[in-house]
Amino acid sequence: MKHGIDPAELLCLSHATEKARELAGDIRIPIKSRARLVRIAVAAATLRDVSKGATREYARAAASLTSRIRELHSSTDLRYVADNEFFERVDLTAREFRSGMLRVVYAADPFTGTAEEYRESILGAAGLAGWDWVSPDLLPVPMDWPQGDVPISENLNWSTVHGYKGLEAEAIALAIPAPPEWAVGRLGDGVACWSDGRASEARRVLYVGASRARRLAILVVDESLAGNVETILLRDQVPFERL
């Protein structure tokens, strides 16, 4: 990079998860399939994405994968018991189950092959984990396998502003999208509040995001706001380059 910062040191930030992903070059197509194998693949893809850390999305994916794996037991009675009871009934500790889950998560790259190939990888991982209670019949090949439609890893590291609060990176790229129509000029408009000196949550998010940078803050501003942001930076005597 021009300022002597490696791309690996650049973190893309936004208030919204999807904006942060988009800025990092990770544009994902929503998957609405209810097929069990697809839902396992979606959860595994999320858990393989180390940039999420301990986010709520990561936690939801872990819970979803646990439920989908439990549904592979031939006994429907075990689908509705607490996790601890389930582990006891299948003669596993919670730690052993988590170890097996890791085998499932890293069995194969989700969506890079066919549904049949991914299914075999999941069943193979279950076998290596010693899960002899898994019923292959309960993991059919879905008709709506989204092969090749879902990027699994982003080009750059990313996080939400909230998820990176209290942390720092050498360089930050902060997305500043146009506010929704209802928020223009109001407290939900961070740039307007910044310009007018009004305190608001939207303005605080901008400050928290930009202040994560140790050496370089890159503001990726919606075209409709670019002039306003430049005026503010000039007014506040903040050195910057417009690209």
Side-chain angles (χ1 to χ4, degrees), residues 36-37 40 72 118-119 122-123 134-141:
R36 187 170 292 143
L37 186 66
I40 287 174
L72 297 178
Y118 190 69
R119 176 179 181 272
I122 296 303
L123 293 176
V134 167
S135 174
D137 293 340
L138 296 176
L139 193 64
V141 175

Side-chain angles (χ1 to χ4, degrees), residues 36-111:
R36 187 170 292 143
L37 186 66
V38 176
R39 296 179 72 187
I40 287 174
V42 170
T46 300
L47 295 173
R48 290 166 67 100
D49 187 346
V50 296
S51 68
K52 291 184 177 58
T55 63
R56 280 180 290 181
E57 185 178 3
Y58 190 94
R60 286 195 298 268
S64 175
L65 184 58
T66 297
S67 297
R68 303 295 79 75
I69 293 300
R70 285 183 47 169
E71 289 172 359
L72 297 178
H73 198 291
S74 57
S75 172
T76 56
D77 293 341
L78 288 183
R79 298 181 188 177
Y80 307 105
V81 301
D83 284 346
N84 287 340
E85 183 177 348
F86 178 86
F87 300 151
E88 184 178 351
R89 297 274 291 275
V90 296
D91 195 25
L92 285 174
T93 65
R95 183 175 181 177
E96 288 170 339
F97 185 79
R98 286 195 297 269
S99 177
M101 288 268 285
L102 286 175
R103 289 183 182 273
V104 170
V105 168
Y106 290 99
D109 288 339
F111 307 119

Side-chain angles (χ1 to χ4, degrees), residues 184-206:
V184 174
R186 301 181 179 181
L187 292 181
D189 186 338
V191 172
C193 291
W194 183 15
S195 176
D196 300 340
R198 288 177 290 164
S200 72
E201 176 64 16
R203 180 184 177 187
R204 189 185 71 82
V205 167
L206 294 181

